[in-house]
Amino acid sequence: MAYNWNWGVFLQPTATGDDSTYLGWMFYGLKMTIGLSLSAWVIALLLGAVVGVLRTVPNRWLAGIATAYVEVFRNIPLLVQLFLWYFVMPELLPEKLGNAFKQTNPIVQQFLSSMVCLALFTSARVAEQVRSGINSLPPGQKNAGLALGFTLPQTYRHVMLPMAVRLIVPPLTSEFLNIFKNSAVCSTIGLLELAAQGRQLVDYTAQPYESFIAVTVAYLLLNVVVMFGMRWVEAHVRVPGYIGGK
Amino acid sequence: MISMNKVSKHYGSFQVLADCTTEVHKGEVIVVCGPSGSGKSTLIKCVNGLEPFQSGEIIVNGVSVGDPKTNLSKLRSTVGMVFQNFELFPHMRIIDNLAIAQVKVLGRNPEQAREKGLKLLDRVGLRVQAEKYPGQLSGGQQQRVAIARALSMDPICMLFDEPTSALDPEMINEVLDVMTELAQEGMTMMCVTHEMGFARRVANRVIFMDQGRIVEDDSKEAFFGNPRSERAQQFLAKILHH
Ligand SMILES: Nc1ncnc2c1ncn2[C@@H]1O[C@H](COP(=O)(O)OP(=O)(O)O)[C@@H](O)[C@H]1O
Ligand SMILES: [Mg+2]
Protein backbone atom coordinates (compact mmCIF):
# COMPACT_ATOMS: atom_id res chain seq x y z
CA MET A 1 0.00 0.00 0.00
CA ALA A 2 1.47 3.33 -1.01
CA TYR A 3 1.94 5.92 1.71
CA ASN A 4 0.17 9.15 1.09
CA TRP A 5 2.63 11.95 1.80
CA ASN A 6 0.97 15.17 2.82
CA TRP A 7 3.23 17.90 4.18
CA GLY A 8 0.36 20.34 3.94
CA VAL A 9 -1.14 18.67 7.00
CA PHE A 10 0.84 20.98 9.28
CA LEU A 11 -1.08 24.01 8.03
CA GLN A 12 -4.49 22.46 8.62
CA PRO A 13 -6.54 23.54 11.63
CA THR A 14 -6.55 20.84 14.28
CA ALA A 15 -9.45 18.45 14.66
CA THR A 16 -10.10 19.61 18.23
CA GLY A 17 -11.26 23.02 17.13
CA ASP A 18 -8.77 24.73 19.42
CA ASP A 19 -8.05 27.47 16.89
CA SER A 20 -4.57 26.15 16.17
CA THR A 21 -2.88 24.42 13.27
CA TYR A 22 -0.89 21.21 13.71
CA LEU A 23 2.21 23.33 13.17
CA GLY A 24 0.98 25.41 16.10
CA TRP A 25 0.93 22.24 18.21
CA MET A 26 4.48 21.50 17.22
CA PHE A 27 5.59 24.97 18.22
CA TYR A 28 3.77 24.66 21.51
CA GLY A 29 5.68 21.43 22.18
CA LEU A 30 8.95 22.99 21.10
CA LYS A 31 8.43 25.95 23.42
CA MET A 32 7.62 23.59 26.27
CA THR A 33 10.73 21.51 25.62
CA ILE A 34 12.94 24.59 25.45
CA GLY A 35 11.41 26.26 28.50
CA LEU A 36 11.62 23.08 30.55
CA SER A 37 15.16 22.21 29.49
CA LEU A 38 16.59 25.69 29.93
CA SER A 39 15.06 26.27 33.35
CA ALA A 40 16.17 22.84 34.54
CA TRP A 41 19.65 23.45 33.10
CA VAL A 42 20.13 26.71 34.98
CA ILE A 43 19.18 25.05 38.26
CA ALA A 44 21.35 22.02 37.45
CA LEU A 45 24.38 24.22 36.82
CA LEU A 46 24.02 26.11 40.08
CA LEU A 47 23.27 23.05 42.20
CA GLY A 48 25.87 20.95 40.40
CA ALA A 49 28.56 23.56 40.98
CA VAL A 50 27.81 23.64 44.70
CA VAL A 51 27.63 19.85 45.10
CA GLY A 52 30.71 19.31 42.92
CA VAL A 53 32.73 21.74 45.01
CA LEU A 54 31.53 20.13 48.24
CA ARG A 55 32.75 16.76 47.01
CA THR A 56 36.29 18.16 46.96
CA VAL A 57 36.39 20.05 50.26
CA PRO A 58 38.51 18.72 53.12
CA ASN A 59 35.51 18.06 55.34
CA ARG A 60 34.32 14.49 55.60
CA TRP A 61 30.71 15.37 56.42
CA LEU A 62 30.17 17.85 53.64
CA ALA A 63 31.96 15.66 51.12
CA GLY A 64 29.95 12.63 52.28
CA ILE A 65 26.62 14.40 51.94
CA ALA A 66 27.58 15.59 48.47
CA THR A 67 28.63 12.09 47.45
CA ALA A 68 25.33 10.64 48.67
CA TYR A 69 23.45 13.30 46.72
CA VAL A 70 25.27 12.42 43.52
CA GLU A 71 24.80 8.68 43.96
CA VAL A 72 21.08 8.99 44.63
CA PHE A 73 20.21 11.29 41.75
CA ARG A 74 22.55 9.70 39.26
CA ASN A 75 21.60 6.10 39.88
CA ILE A 76 17.81 6.09 40.19
CA PRO A 77 16.33 5.83 36.68
CA LEU A 78 15.08 9.14 35.41
CA LEU A 79 11.59 7.78 34.80
CA VAL A 80 11.31 6.55 38.37
CA GLN A 81 12.50 9.92 39.68
CA LEU A 82 9.87 11.65 37.57
CA PHE A 83 7.09 9.48 39.00
CA LEU A 84 8.38 10.11 42.49
CA TRP A 85 8.32 13.87 42.02
CA TYR A 86 4.96 13.93 40.28
CA PHE A 87 2.93 11.26 42.07
CA VAL A 88 4.61 10.71 45.42
CA MET A 89 6.13 14.04 46.40
CA PRO A 90 2.80 15.95 46.69
CA GLU A 91 1.64 13.27 49.19
CA LEU A 92 4.75 13.71 51.30
CA LEU A 93 4.53 17.47 51.48
CA PRO A 94 2.80 19.05 54.50
CA GLU A 95 -0.91 18.61 53.81
CA LYS A 96 -1.61 22.28 53.06
CA LEU A 97 1.24 22.63 50.63
CA GLY A 98 0.40 19.30 48.98
CA ASN A 99 -3.21 20.32 48.46
CA ALA A 100 -2.23 23.72 47.16
CA PHE A 101 0.01 21.99 44.63
CA LYS A 102 -2.74 19.61 43.56
CA GLN A 103 -5.12 22.51 43.02
CA THR A 104 -2.87 24.43 40.69
CA ASN A 105 -3.26 24.20 36.95
CA PRO A 106 -2.30 20.65 35.89
CA ILE A 107 0.11 22.04 33.32
CA VAL A 108 1.92 23.92 36.09
CA GLN A 109 2.03 20.74 38.17
CA GLN A 110 3.49 18.76 35.30
CA PHE A 111 5.97 21.49 34.46
CA LEU A 112 7.20 21.99 38.02
CA SER A 113 7.60 18.28 38.69
CA SER A 114 9.42 17.82 35.39
CA MET A 115 11.69 20.80 35.98
CA VAL A 116 12.70 19.71 39.49
CA CYS A 117 13.24 16.16 38.31
CA LEU A 118 15.41 17.04 35.32
CA ALA A 119 17.28 19.69 37.29
CA LEU A 120 18.27 17.39 40.16
CA PHE A 121 19.07 14.44 37.91
CA THR A 122 21.29 16.64 35.73
CA SER A 123 22.83 18.46 38.69
CA ALA A 124 24.28 15.18 39.93
CA ARG A 125 25.96 14.70 36.58
CA VAL A 126 27.15 18.30 36.44
CA ALA A 127 28.54 17.86 39.97
CA GLU A 128 30.64 14.95 38.75
CA GLN A 129 32.06 17.07 35.95
CA VAL A 130 32.80 19.94 38.32
CA ARG A 131 34.54 17.58 40.71
CA SER A 132 36.68 16.04 37.99
CA GLY A 133 37.52 19.50 36.67
CA ILE A 134 38.72 20.59 40.10
CA ASN A 135 40.66 17.37 40.60
CA SER A 136 42.41 17.70 37.28
CA LEU A 137 43.94 21.07 38.19
CA PRO A 138 47.61 20.96 39.15
CA PRO A 139 47.55 20.45 42.95
CA GLY A 140 49.92 23.38 43.46
CA GLN A 141 47.25 25.85 42.35
CA LYS A 142 45.29 25.47 45.56
CA ASN A 143 48.43 25.90 47.63
CA ALA A 144 49.39 28.96 45.62
CA GLY A 145 46.04 30.55 46.40
CA LEU A 146 46.20 29.66 50.07
CA ALA A 147 49.81 30.82 50.34
CA LEU A 148 48.79 34.30 49.19
CA GLY A 149 46.40 34.51 52.11
CA PHE A 150 43.18 33.59 50.34
CA THR A 151 40.71 31.67 52.48
CA LEU A 152 39.63 28.30 51.10
CA PRO A 153 36.37 29.72 49.64
CA GLN A 154 38.33 32.57 48.05
CA THR A 155 40.78 30.07 46.61
CA TYR A 156 37.89 28.17 45.01
CA ARG A 157 36.31 31.36 43.77
CA HIS A 158 39.35 33.10 42.31
CA VAL A 159 41.80 30.31 41.55
CA MET A 160 40.32 26.85 41.15
CA LEU A 161 36.81 27.27 39.78
CA PRO A 162 37.67 29.66 36.94
CA MET A 163 40.07 27.11 35.48
CA ALA A 164 38.02 24.03 36.39
CA VAL A 165 34.97 25.45 34.63
CA ARG A 166 36.99 26.13 31.49
CA LEU A 167 38.24 22.56 31.47
CA ILE A 168 34.76 21.07 31.65
CA VAL A 169 33.01 23.03 28.91
CA PRO A 170 33.16 20.07 26.47
CA PRO A 171 31.60 17.49 28.84
CA LEU A 172 29.06 20.08 29.97
CA THR A 173 28.03 20.50 26.35
CA SER A 174 27.00 16.88 26.22
CA GLU A 175 25.08 17.21 29.51
CA PHE A 176 23.32 20.22 28.05
CA LEU A 177 22.37 18.19 24.98
CA ASN A 178 21.23 15.35 27.22
CA ILE A 179 18.80 17.50 29.13
CA PHE A 180 16.89 18.24 25.92
CA LYS A 181 16.72 14.57 25.07
CA ASN A 182 15.80 13.56 28.61
CA SER A 183 13.00 16.09 28.70
CA ALA A 184 11.07 13.75 26.37
CA VAL A 185 10.54 11.44 29.36
CA CYS A 186 8.23 14.08 30.81
CA SER A 187 5.58 13.24 28.23
CA THR A 188 4.85 10.21 30.41
CA ILE A 189 3.18 12.39 33.04
CA GLY A 190 1.18 14.20 30.38
CA LEU A 191 3.40 17.21 29.77
CA LEU A 192 2.83 18.29 26.19
CA GLU A 193 6.40 18.81 25.10
CA LEU A 194 7.83 18.15 21.69
CA ALA A 195 7.77 14.34 21.75
CA ALA A 196 4.24 14.24 23.17
CA GLN A 197 3.01 16.63 20.52
CA GLY A 198 4.56 14.44 17.87
CA ARG A 199 2.57 11.48 19.15
CA GLN A 200 -0.61 13.58 19.25
CA LEU A 201 -0.05 14.56 15.65
CA VAL A 202 0.15 10.93 14.66
CA ASP A 203 -3.13 10.20 16.42
CA TYR A 204 -4.97 13.14 14.94
CA THR A 205 -3.59 13.31 11.41
CA ALA A 206 -2.73 9.70 10.61
CA GLN A 207 0.43 11.05 8.99
CA PRO A 208 3.07 9.37 11.20
CA TYR A 209 6.06 9.92 8.89
CA GLU A 210 5.58 13.65 8.58
CA SER A 211 4.96 13.97 12.28
CA PHE A 212 8.03 12.07 13.40
CA ILE A 213 10.24 13.63 10.76
CA ALA A 214 9.18 17.06 11.98
CA VAL A 215 9.89 16.11 15.60
CA THR A 216 13.27 14.66 14.66
CA VAL A 217 14.25 17.75 12.74
CA ALA A 218 13.21 19.94 15.65
CA TYR A 219 15.42 17.97 18.06
CA LEU A 220 18.30 18.08 15.60
CA LEU A 221 17.97 21.84 15.27
CA LEU A 222 18.04 22.19 19.05
CA ASN A 223 21.22 20.11 19.07
CA VAL A 224 22.87 22.27 16.48
CA VAL A 225 21.98 25.48 18.27
CA VAL A 226 23.28 24.17 21.60
CA MET A 227 26.48 22.94 20.00
CA PHE A 228 27.20 26.23 18.32
CA GLY A 229 26.34 28.10 21.50
CA MET A 230 28.72 25.99 23.56
CA ARG A 231 31.47 26.30 20.93
CA TRP A 232 31.10 30.03 21.21
CA VAL A 233 31.37 29.80 25.00
CA GLU A 234 34.44 27.59 24.66
CA ALA A 235 36.19 30.01 22.34
CA HIS A 236 35.15 32.92 24.51
CA VAL A 237 36.70 31.58 27.73
CA ARG A 238 39.84 30.21 26.10
CA VAL A 239 42.96 31.29 27.96
CA PRO A 240 45.71 32.68 25.71
CA GLY A 241 48.83 30.52 25.80
CA TYR A 242 47.29 27.81 27.96
CA ILE A 243 47.89 24.29 26.73
CA GLY A 244 46.06 21.67 28.78
CA GLY A 245 46.78 20.75 32.40
CA LYS A 246 50.23 19.95 33.67
CA MET B 1 61.41 35.31 62.80
CA ILE B 2 60.83 31.58 62.17
CA SER B 3 61.49 29.06 64.87
CA MET B 4 60.77 25.34 64.77
CA ASN B 5 60.90 23.14 67.75
CA LYS B 6 60.79 19.35 67.48
CA VAL B 7 58.39 19.35 64.54
CA SER B 8 57.23 15.86 63.58
CA LYS B 9 54.82 14.64 60.96
CA HIS B 10 53.86 11.20 59.77
CA TYR B 11 51.49 9.61 57.29
CA GLY B 12 50.33 6.49 59.06
CA SER B 13 53.51 4.81 60.13
CA PHE B 14 55.67 6.70 57.63
CA GLN B 15 57.70 9.44 59.30
CA VAL B 16 58.01 12.44 56.96
CA LEU B 17 59.50 14.83 59.52
CA ALA B 18 61.22 13.76 62.72
CA ASP B 19 62.03 16.22 65.50
CA CYS B 20 63.00 19.06 63.21
CA THR B 21 64.39 21.98 65.15
CA THR B 22 65.87 25.11 63.65
CA GLU B 23 65.65 28.85 63.62
CA VAL B 24 65.70 31.58 60.97
CA HIS B 25 66.53 35.06 62.22
CA LYS B 26 65.43 38.26 60.62
CA GLY B 27 67.48 38.99 57.52
CA GLU B 28 68.97 35.52 57.36
CA VAL B 29 69.04 33.34 54.27
CA ILE B 30 68.81 29.61 54.94
CA VAL B 31 69.31 27.04 52.22
CA VAL B 32 67.68 23.64 52.72
CA CYS B 33 69.02 20.73 50.70
CA GLY B 34 68.93 16.97 50.77
CA PRO B 35 67.98 13.99 48.63
CA SER B 36 64.58 13.74 46.96
CA GLY B 37 61.92 12.55 49.39
CA SER B 38 63.84 13.69 52.45
CA GLY B 39 61.00 16.01 53.53
CA LYS B 40 62.26 19.42 52.39
CA SER B 41 59.01 20.48 50.74
CA THR B 42 57.02 19.20 53.67
CA LEU B 43 59.19 21.13 56.12
CA ILE B 44 58.89 24.39 54.26
CA LYS B 45 55.13 23.98 53.78
CA CYS B 46 54.73 23.48 57.52
CA VAL B 47 56.09 26.99 58.03
CA ASN B 48 53.00 28.64 56.53
CA GLY B 49 50.59 25.89 57.52
CA LEU B 50 50.07 24.39 54.06
CA GLU B 51 50.99 21.06 55.65
CA PRO B 52 49.66 20.23 59.09
CA PHE B 53 52.04 18.52 61.54
CA GLN B 54 51.28 16.31 64.50
CA SER B 55 53.71 17.45 67.13
CA GLY B 56 56.17 20.18 67.90
CA GLU B 57 55.80 23.89 67.44
CA ILE B 58 56.47 26.46 64.74
CA ILE B 59 56.45 30.16 65.59
CA VAL B 60 56.43 32.69 62.75
CA ASN B 61 56.82 36.29 63.80
CA GLY B 62 55.42 35.47 67.23
CA VAL B 63 52.43 33.49 65.94
CA SER B 64 52.11 29.75 66.53
CA VAL B 65 51.31 28.03 63.21
CA GLY B 66 49.93 24.84 64.75
CA ASP B 67 47.57 26.59 67.14
CA PRO B 68 43.98 25.93 65.97
CA LYS B 69 43.07 29.48 67.03
CA THR B 70 45.59 31.01 64.65
CA ASN B 71 44.14 32.78 61.62
CA LEU B 72 46.19 30.90 59.03
CA SER B 73 45.06 32.99 56.06
CA LYS B 74 46.26 36.11 57.79
CA LEU B 75 49.56 34.52 58.69
CA ARG B 76 50.07 33.26 55.13
CA SER B 77 49.42 36.70 53.68
CA THR B 78 52.58 37.83 55.49
CA VAL B 79 54.74 34.93 54.29
CA GLY B 80 55.65 34.85 50.61
CA MET B 81 55.95 31.49 48.90
CA VAL B 82 57.43 30.49 45.54
CA PHE B 83 56.81 27.02 44.09
CA GLN B 84 58.70 24.68 41.84
CA ASN B 85 56.01 24.89 39.13
CA PHE B 86 55.45 28.65 39.44
CA GLU B 87 51.71 28.22 39.99
CA LEU B 88 50.69 31.48 38.39
CA PHE B 89 46.94 31.67 37.81
CA PRO B 90 46.68 30.84 34.09
CA HIS B 91 43.36 32.59 33.47
CA MET B 92 44.57 35.97 34.70
CA ARG B 93 46.84 38.46 33.02
CA ILE B 94 50.25 38.87 34.64
CA ILE B 95 49.27 42.16 36.24
CA ASP B 96 46.10 40.63 37.67
CA ASN B 97 48.13 37.76 39.11
CA LEU B 98 50.02 40.42 41.05
CA ALA B 99 47.02 42.53 41.99
CA ILE B 100 44.31 40.10 42.99
CA ALA B 101 45.53 39.07 46.42
CA GLN B 102 46.47 42.63 47.30
CA VAL B 103 42.86 43.59 46.61
CA LYS B 104 41.01 40.55 47.96
CA VAL B 105 43.24 39.80 50.94
CA LEU B 106 44.82 43.09 51.96
CA GLY B 107 41.93 45.27 50.87
CA ARG B 108 44.06 47.63 48.80
CA ASN B 109 42.22 49.53 46.13
CA PRO B 110 42.66 48.12 42.62
CA GLU B 111 44.53 51.16 41.32
CA GLN B 112 47.09 51.03 44.11
CA ALA B 113 47.46 47.29 43.67
CA ARG B 114 48.12 47.71 39.97
CA GLU B 115 50.67 50.43 40.58
CA LYS B 116 52.49 48.26 43.06
CA GLY B 117 52.28 45.29 40.70
CA LEU B 118 53.81 47.28 37.85
CA LYS B 119 56.60 48.52 40.10
CA LEU B 120 57.45 44.96 41.08
CA LEU B 121 57.31 43.77 37.48
CA ASP B 122 59.74 46.54 36.66
CA ARG B 123 61.99 45.23 39.36
CA VAL B 124 62.08 41.71 37.88
CA GLY B 125 62.44 43.18 34.41
CA LEU B 126 59.02 42.15 33.09
CA ARG B 127 56.94 45.30 33.01
CA VAL B 128 56.35 44.96 29.27
CA GLN B 129 54.69 41.58 29.85
CA ALA B 130 52.05 42.98 32.24
CA GLU B 131 49.10 42.43 29.93
CA LYS B 132 50.07 38.93 28.80
CA TYR B 133 48.89 35.62 30.22
CA PRO B 134 51.22 33.25 32.10
CA GLY B 135 51.09 30.67 29.29
CA GLN B 136 52.65 33.21 26.96
CA LEU B 137 55.80 33.59 29.10
CA SER B 138 58.87 31.37 29.38
CA GLY B 139 59.43 29.35 32.55
CA GLY B 140 62.08 31.73 33.82
CA GLN B 141 59.81 34.70 33.24
CA GLN B 142 56.91 32.96 34.96
CA GLN B 143 59.04 32.25 38.00
CA ARG B 144 60.17 35.88 38.20
CA VAL B 145 56.51 36.89 38.03
CA ALA B 146 55.76 34.41 40.82
CA ILE B 147 58.44 36.04 42.97
CA ALA B 148 57.02 39.47 42.19
CA ARG B 149 53.54 38.19 43.09
CA ALA B 150 54.76 37.01 46.47
CA LEU B 151 56.51 40.34 47.05
CA SER B 152 53.35 42.26 46.20
CA MET B 153 51.99 41.26 49.62
CA ASP B 154 54.93 42.93 51.41
CA PRO B 155 55.91 39.68 53.11
CA ILE B 156 58.04 39.60 56.23
CA CYS B 157 59.84 36.52 54.92
CA MET B 158 59.95 34.36 51.81
CA LEU B 159 59.82 30.61 51.32
CA PHE B 160 61.18 29.02 48.13
CA ASP B 161 60.55 25.38 47.23
CA GLU B 162 63.02 24.39 44.51
CA PRO B 163 62.31 27.52 42.46
CA THR B 164 64.70 26.58 39.65
CA SER B 165 64.20 22.80 39.42
CA ALA B 166 61.56 22.98 36.70
CA LEU B 167 63.54 25.41 34.56
CA ASP B 168 65.68 24.87 31.49
CA PRO B 169 69.32 25.47 32.42
CA GLU B 170 69.57 28.73 30.52
CA MET B 171 66.77 30.23 32.60
CA ILE B 172 68.06 29.32 36.03
CA ASN B 173 70.30 32.32 36.43
CA GLU B 174 67.69 34.95 35.72
CA VAL B 175 65.70 33.57 38.65
CA LEU B 176 68.71 33.15 40.94
CA ASP B 177 69.72 36.75 40.19
CA VAL B 178 66.37 38.01 41.42
CA MET B 179 66.68 35.86 44.55
CA THR B 180 70.23 37.01 45.16
CA GLU B 181 69.20 40.63 44.92
CA LEU B 182 66.37 39.98 47.33
CA ALA B 183 68.77 38.36 49.79
CA GLN B 184 71.18 41.26 49.56
CA GLU B 185 68.36 43.66 50.38
CA GLY B 186 67.92 41.87 53.67
CA MET B 187 64.86 39.70 53.01
CA THR B 188 64.50 36.78 55.40
CA MET B 189 64.53 33.70 53.19
CA MET B 190 64.20 29.96 53.54
CA CYS B 191 65.12 28.29 50.24
CA VAL B 192 64.90 24.66 49.31
CA THR B 193 67.38 24.44 46.47
CA HIS B 194 70.23 22.40 45.09
CA GLU B 195 71.91 25.46 43.59
CA MET B 196 75.08 25.33 45.65
CA GLY B 197 76.51 28.37 43.88
CA PHE B 198 73.59 30.36 45.18
CA ALA B 199 74.09 28.89 48.64
CA ARG B 200 77.76 29.89 48.63
CA ARG B 201 76.95 33.41 47.50
CA VAL B 202 74.12 34.38 49.81
CA ALA B 203 73.27 31.74 52.42
CA ASN B 204 74.00 32.33 56.06
CA ARG B 205 73.33 28.73 56.97
CA VAL B 206 72.76 25.46 55.17
CA ILE B 207 70.40 22.78 56.43
CA PHE B 208 70.86 19.24 55.16
CA MET B 209 67.92 16.85 55.48
CA ASP B 210 67.77 13.09 55.16
CA GLN B 211 64.79 10.81 55.83
CA GLY B 212 62.81 13.52 57.56
CA ARG B 213 65.61 14.59 59.88
CA ILE B 214 67.70 17.71 59.94
CA VAL B 215 71.10 16.07 59.77
CA GLU B 216 73.22 19.19 59.44
CA ASP B 217 72.44 22.76 60.37
CA ASP B 218 75.68 24.67 59.87
CA SER B 219 77.07 27.98 58.83
CA LYS B 220 77.75 27.86 55.12
CA GLU B 221 81.51 27.89 55.75
CA ALA B 222 81.30 24.86 58.00
CA PHE B 223 78.94 23.03 55.66
CA PHE B 224 80.98 23.46 52.51
CA GLY B 225 84.28 23.21 54.37
CA ASN B 226 83.67 20.04 56.18
CA PRO B 227 80.20 18.49 56.59
CA ARG B 228 80.14 16.17 59.56
CA SER B 229 77.76 13.49 58.37
CA GLU B 230 78.67 10.94 55.78
CA ARG B 231 75.28 11.35 54.04
CA ALA B 232 75.90 15.05 53.52
CA GLN B 233 79.39 14.39 52.20
CA GLN B 234 78.06 11.87 49.70
CA PHE B 235 75.26 14.21 48.70
CA LEU B 236 77.61 17.13 48.17
CA ALA B 237 80.02 15.02 46.18
CA LYS B 238 77.17 13.95 43.93
CA ILE B 239 75.74 17.35 43.22
CA LEU B 240 78.98 19.25 42.96
CA HIS B 241 80.19 16.88 40.28
CA HIS B 242 77.21 17.61 38.10
N1 LIG C 1 50.21 12.73 51.06
C1 LIG C 1 51.26 11.91 51.31
N2 LIG C 1 51.06 10.65 51.75
C2 LIG C 1 52.10 9.83 52.02
N3 LIG C 1 53.39 10.17 51.86
C3 LIG C 1 53.67 11.39 51.43
C4 LIG C 1 52.63 12.34 51.12
N4 LIG C 1 53.21 13.49 50.71
C5 LIG C 1 54.54 13.27 50.75
N5 LIG C 1 54.82 12.03 51.19
C6 LIG C 1 56.17 11.44 51.38
O1 LIG C 1 56.87 12.28 52.23
C7 LIG C 1 58.24 12.29 51.89
C8 LIG C 1 58.76 13.69 51.85
O2 LIG C 1 58.23 14.35 50.75
P1 LIG C 1 58.73 15.81 50.33
O3 LIG C 1 58.63 16.71 51.49
O4 LIG C 1 58.00 16.20 49.12
O5 LIG C 1 60.26 15.54 49.98
P2 LIG C 1 61.29 16.44 49.19
O6 LIG C 1 60.67 17.77 48.96
O7 LIG C 1 62.49 16.50 50.07
O8 LIG C 1 61.59 15.72 47.92
C9 LIG C 1 58.35 11.55 50.57
O9 LIG C 1 58.91 10.28 50.83
C10 LIG C 1 56.95 11.43 50.09
O10 LIG C 1 56.79 10.22 49.39
MG1 LIG D 1 60.19 18.76 47.14
Side-chain angles (χ1 to χ4, degrees), chain B residues 36-37 39-42 45 84 161-162 192:
Chain B
S36 173
K40 308 178 298 292
S41 298
T42 308
K45 282 185 195 144
Q84 185 170 355
D161 189 1
E162 304 209 32
V192 176

Short mmCIF file of all heavy atoms in Angstrom, two decimals, chain B residues 36-37 39-42 45 84 161-162 192, ligand 2:
data_model
loop_
_atom_site.label_atom_id
_atom_site.label_comp_id
_atom_site.label_asym_id
_atom_site.label_seq_id
_atom_site.Cartn_x
_atom_site.Cartn_y
_atom_site.Cartn_z
N SER B 36 66.01 13.72 47.27
CA SER B 36 64.58 13.74 46.96
C SER B 36 63.83 12.84 47.94
O SER B 36 64.29 11.76 48.26
CB SER B 36 64.41 13.25 45.53
OG SER B 36 63.06 13.11 45.26
N GLY B 37 62.70 13.34 48.44
CA GLY B 37 61.92 12.55 49.39
C GLY B 37 62.37 12.68 50.83
O GLY B 37 61.85 12.01 51.71
N GLY B 39 61.94 15.22 52.73
CA GLY B 39 61.00 16.01 53.53
C GLY B 39 61.20 17.51 53.45
O GLY B 39 60.61 18.26 54.23
N LYS B 40 61.99 17.98 52.49
CA LYS B 40 62.26 19.42 52.39
C LYS B 40 61.00 20.22 52.08
O LYS B 40 60.72 21.23 52.74
CB LYS B 40 63.29 19.67 51.28
CG LYS B 40 64.55 18.85 51.40
CD LYS B 40 65.51 19.10 50.26
CE LYS B 40 65.00 18.73 48.88
NZ LYS B 40 64.80 17.28 48.64
N SER B 41 60.24 19.76 51.08
CA SER B 41 59.01 20.48 50.74
C SER B 41 58.05 20.47 51.91
O SER B 41 57.41 21.49 52.22
CB SER B 41 58.32 19.84 49.54
OG SER B 41 59.15 19.90 48.41
N THR B 42 57.94 19.32 52.54
CA THR B 42 57.02 19.20 53.67
C THR B 42 57.43 20.17 54.78
O THR B 42 56.58 20.88 55.33
CB THR B 42 57.03 17.75 54.21
OG1 THR B 42 56.81 16.86 53.11
CG2 THR B 42 55.96 17.56 55.25
N LYS B 45 56.58 23.73 53.82
CA LYS B 45 55.13 23.98 53.78
C LYS B 45 54.52 24.01 55.18
O LYS B 45 53.43 24.54 55.37
CB LYS B 45 54.44 22.91 52.94
CG LYS B 45 54.60 23.15 51.45
CD LYS B 45 53.79 22.14 50.67
CE LYS B 45 54.18 22.10 49.22
NZ LYS B 45 54.11 20.74 48.68
N GLN B 84 57.92 25.27 42.92
CA GLN B 84 58.70 24.68 41.84
C GLN B 84 58.05 24.93 40.47
O GLN B 84 58.70 25.27 39.50
CB GLN B 84 58.81 23.18 42.09
CG GLN B 84 59.68 22.46 41.10
CD GLN B 84 59.94 21.01 41.55
OE1 GLN B 84 59.55 20.60 42.64
NE2 GLN B 84 60.62 20.27 40.72
N ASP B 161 60.46 26.84 47.31
CA ASP B 161 60.55 25.38 47.23
C ASP B 161 61.09 24.98 45.85
O ASP B 161 60.33 24.91 44.88
CB ASP B 161 59.18 24.75 47.47
CG ASP B 161 59.29 23.22 47.60
OD1 ASP B 161 60.42 22.69 47.52
OD2 ASP B 161 58.24 22.57 47.78
N GLU B 162 62.36 24.75 45.76
CA GLU B 162 63.02 24.39 44.51
C GLU B 162 62.60 25.29 43.34
O GLU B 162 62.09 24.79 42.32
CB GLU B 162 62.76 22.92 44.16
CG GLU B 162 63.18 21.98 45.29
CD GLU B 162 63.59 20.60 44.78
OE1 GLU B 162 64.12 20.53 43.66
OE2 GLU B 162 63.40 19.62 45.52
N VAL B 192 64.55 26.03 49.67
CA VAL B 192 64.90 24.66 49.31
C VAL B 192 65.50 24.74 47.92
O VAL B 192 64.83 25.17 46.97
CB VAL B 192 63.66 23.75 49.28
CG1 VAL B 192 64.05 22.35 48.79
CG2 VAL B 192 63.02 23.68 50.65
MG MG C 2 60.19 18.76 47.14
#
